[in-house]
Every structure is written in C-alpha cells, then in structure tokens.
Amino acid sequence: MKRWFSIIAQVLLLFGFTWLGKWVSSFFHLPVPGSLIGLALLFICLYTGLIRLQWVEAGATLLFSQMILFFVPSLVGMMQYPWLLGIKGLLVLVVVVSGCALVMISTGVIAERMFNRGEVKQHDPVENV
C-alpha cells in the first residue's frame, strides 16, 4: 500500500511539471506546448540534481507501461482507411521507415563528427544524483 502511495505522489509530481509548463506557456504566450516546457523543466531539475531520479522513476515507469492505451484509438482509426492495409499502405510504410532511418543515420553521423571534433564534452548526468 505504501508503494502505491509513493507511485501516486510521483505521478502527481510529473503532472505538476506538466501543469507548470502549461502555465509558463500561457503566461508568456509561447508557441511551444506546455507539456514540452514541463518536460524541459523536469529535465533541468533532474540534470541539476534538484529532483532525484528515484523521486519520479516508479511513476514514470507506470505511465510508460500504460501508453499502449493511448495508441489504441489510432489503430481503430486506421480501420476507417482500409487502403492503408494494401499496397498503398505498404508504400506509405516504406516512405515513413526510410525517412526515419535517414533522420537517425544523419543525426548519428553529425553527433559523432561533433564529438570527434571536441565540440561536445562528455558528461555523465548521473553524477549529480
């Protein structure tokens, strides 16, 4: 029972960062979604050590395990477009997969070149925990 109260508190802390990010976005009229600002604030707090990973780890794990529930409506919506299950859908899949592969490869190559040049310092964020 104590574990569940801890997880609920962690989820509420994560939601608190989301709400804080939404408030920042609306207060400063930023064109960035508040949830992304909240995620950035959470990252900064984790990176600087203001929040320890153990304080949010179990709650984040619970939320990640339930993410499939958010993708089910997308799969049901796909049934409205049966052509996606045929040859045209296969072509769309090839385009999406190749586009993702190109982005991943180019990002990796650029990051490796920057790292080899010394423009990126190696830093272990776990040291702050």
Side-chain angles (χ1 to χ4, degrees):
M1 191 71 158
K2 185 177 179 181
R3 180 174 178 258
W4 281 105
F5 285 130
S6 172
I7 290 174
I8 290 171
Q10 291 178 13
V11 169
L12 288 176
L13 180 64
L14 292 170
F15 280 139
F17 274 98
T18 302
W19 291 326
L20 179 64
K22 288 182 179 183
W23 179 82
V24 168
S25 177
S26 67
F27 185 77
F28 292 108
H29 304 290
L30 299 173
V32 179
S35 58
L36 289 179
I37 294 173
L39 186 66
L41 291 173
L42 176 64
F43 174 75
I44 290 168
C45 288
L46 284 169
Y47 187 77
T48 59
L50 293 174
I51 292 183
R52 294 181 180 238
L53 181 61
Q54 295 85 5
W55 296 355
V56 293
E57 187 173 21
T61 302
L62 175 72
L63 291 175
F64 277 128
S65 69
Q66 302 302 318
M67 281 186 74
I68 189 67
L69 296 176
F70 299 113
F71 292 111
V72 168
S74 302
L75 294 174
V76 172
M78 195 172 92
M79 296 312 228
Q80 291 181 348
Y81 304 102
W83 60 268
L84 283 174
L85 301 175
I87 296 296
K88 289 182 182 177
L90 185 61
L91 292 174
V92 170
L93 182 66
V94 167
V95 168
V96 169
V97 169
S98 62
C100 288
L102 287 173
V103 168
M104 290 185 337
I105 290 168
S106 62
T107 301
V109 168
I110 291 170
E112 187 174 333
R113 286 185 181 175
M114 288 178 68
F115 184 74
N116 287 339
R117 275 194 212 164
E119 294 179 17
V120 178
K121 291 189 332 183
Q122 213 171 12
H123 181 70
D124 188 9
V126 180
E127 291 175 357
N128 293 336
V129 177

